[in-house]
Amino acid sequence: MPPHTAFHHIPHTPRNHFALWYFAATYTLLADLHMLAGEAGLRAWFDPYPFLHQYLDEMAAFMPDDLTWEAGHRWWQRELAVWSANSPTPLPLQRLVEHPAWDNATLLALAFLGLPEEDSRFGILFACVQGSPALRRPTVETIGRALAPTTTDGGWTLCRPIVEAGLADITNADDPRAEWMLRPTPWLWDILRGEPPEPEHEWLIWHPAETFSPPDALILPERAHAMVANLRTMLAEIPLLTIVVRGMPGSERLSLLGALAREQGFGVAVTDAATLDKPRRRQLATFCRLQHAWPILRADLSPGERLRLDTLPGHTAPIGIIVGTIGGIEGELLARSVGVHLPPLHAEERRQCWQQALGETPVDNLDHIVERFHLPGGYIRRIAPLARHQAALHGRDTITPADVQAACRTLNREVLDTQATRLDTLGTWEHLVVTESTRERLQELEQRCRHREQVLAHLAPVYAGSNRGVRALFSGASGTGKTFAARILAAELGTDIYRVDLSAIVNKYIGETEKNLHRIFTHAEALDVILLLDEGDALLGKRTDVTNANDRYANLETNFLLQRMETFGGIVIVTTNVADQIDTAFQRRMDVVVHFIPPDAVARLRIWALHLPENHHISDAYLHRVATACVLTGGQIRNVALNATLAALDDNTPVCERHLAHALAAEYRKAGGICPLDETGEARTTIGVEAFMHTLGHRNGNGHD
């Protein structure tokens, strides 16, 4: 039978535990007031502060009648110790006392300094007792006199562990220490009061143990299973183990750490390692002690960046660190560390993730979804409910690949839209007019992209370690169809394509360009979208001899992009207008190089047919003359067709030769030239300066410019 206590009928909850310590602190204050009043006793305080009598009456209902003040203090300590010991599970305040620097006297001091937090009338009382309206919280001197009257420095001895735990800060540190007032940290004080922690604090995210699956239910890459099994054994032997988990965004890094913590009976508290200054380290350690949690530190490191992580004061449980595939970690936390790398999932592992995430929801063509969307497990779990919503939006119960793609697009916008521009995917290869050799290379590229995962299983052993990435270089003059071809490729593959203007992300500050590139490549790889690096010669240009600091850092940026593209596990297309200026090292590492040349007359005629409205009133003979005489690129033809259509809409008539002639003339003027055909569609007899003067004379002959 558990020992009897005056509080045996009170349920063992965090809230009730706090309330009992609160009344113990109130009793200690009453004893101090009794001492200060001398012969007048407490009656001297009851008249101006009648609420004190109410507190005393509530406590008297539990306490024996014949106790002296000193005996009453010992009674509270004894009864609280028995009540706490009878708790079926450790309570947050009990976990605080487990720290070597803490004891019940420190816990009582914590409750004492929090009296004004719970009842503002105590603030008025403290201001009176301490002789200043500004001293509405108990000072270090007051705490020492009330709780440790026999020692000269008892107040600070009791308060110091509270400050070092981050549970309170000093509001007037410039004053003498005896006059210091301690203000409880609000969000931690709420937890001490027995309130459940908020899921998302300003800099911390709380995950209770039950929010995670057991380790055996995780779907992990095959290569990680053995390491996780060994890790579970190590945790039973090394209580202060630091677990460093690397992987791309969306991989099951947090799920793995959460599952391991759950198996040990812990929740997890996740925070950004870069913002973890000394006060936050103290508060994080205390929060984890109160909530019985592992701290999980996220580190988003850039190329060449190293992050120092020091120990958390007083923390005696494992610590998890989540980091990407690059960047270094150093510091005291790595003294007892082990690293786990989570590589991308294979097809069968993705299938299991989809089946687990979708449950009983019917799916149309799961094989295609598995093959098409090379996503990590964490993203699959986020996308699955979004895909259900997409299906419901169209009145269906069955999820289709189109629903999954629409759901992916929602996630893509959330992650990538601030770093790159999504291009609409449109058309088929039939809409692209290129030479036969260019078409063959594009079809080869599509084949490589479509089977980029399956081919790894059939490669010779010499290719071991190769990733599933595909790198392509599109070279050619502006307007020859490079971007259009990339958008068609995305449409054929059923994926999104994001364009990055390299000239826009090159930063004058050292290292910032690499950070920008790394961030974009990392997210594009995890989301499995096509990355289009437009105007790639901005960074892929030939490296130069180092003659100054600018050359050195420019070469570093080029070297980084070279290495990052080589390790990129997604599809990346680089476009350039000046292929001869691209560094040869990049060209060697490209899987497919596609050259786009300006169209000849036959090709231009086909492009005109694709871009002009079907109901146009332009004769075949006129269109043949335009295709032969006007040496335009596909982009220019598109512009002319668009402007001619706009003019026809303004006239409310179909597109005719007059509209086309005016649009051609405008396009040539924009390029600084003169259309080789006149308004009737006939070839001009004069060219160059003579044609220009002839045009001026014709316009002046009409009277005015």
Side-chain angles (χ1 to χ4, degrees), residues 109-144:
L110 176 63
F112 192 91
L113 68 89
L115 290 176
E117 300 296 318
E118 300 301 303
D119 191 333
S120 61
R121 293 174 294 184
F122 281 116
I124 301 173
L125 174 62
F126 280 122
C128 175
V129 171
Q130 296 171 157
S132 172
L135 302 178
R136 295 174 62 88
R137 299 179 185 275
T139 64
V140 169
E141 179 184 23
T142 300
I143 293 174

Side-chain angles (χ1 to χ4, degrees), residues 521-579:
F521 270 90
T522 299
H523 288 306
E525 184 175 21
L527 295 167
D528 195 36
V529 299
I530 296 178
L531 202 58
L532 177 65
L533 303 184
D534 214 4
E535 304 296 338
D537 41 282
L539 266 183
L540 277 64
K542 294 179 179 179
R543 287 165 286 189
T544 62
D545 294 333
V546 177
T547 59
N548 54 47
N550 290 336
D551 293 338
R552 182 182 302 111
Y553 291 119
N555 286 347
L556 286 175
E557 292 170 353
T558 302
N559 291 338
F560 168 75
L561 185 56
L562 179 65
Q563 297 168 9
R564 191 62 185 90
M565 287 182 62
E566 195 166 12
T567 61
F568 185 59
I571 302 171
V572 58
I573 300 172
V574 182
T575 69
T576 178
N577 298 339
V578 282

Side-chain angles (χ1 to χ4, degrees), residues 385-399 403:
L386 297 176
R388 287 196 193 95
H389 297 160
Q390 285 293 326
L393 188 63
H394 293 86
R396 290 183 277 100
D397 295 329
T398 301
I399 292 176
D403 297 325

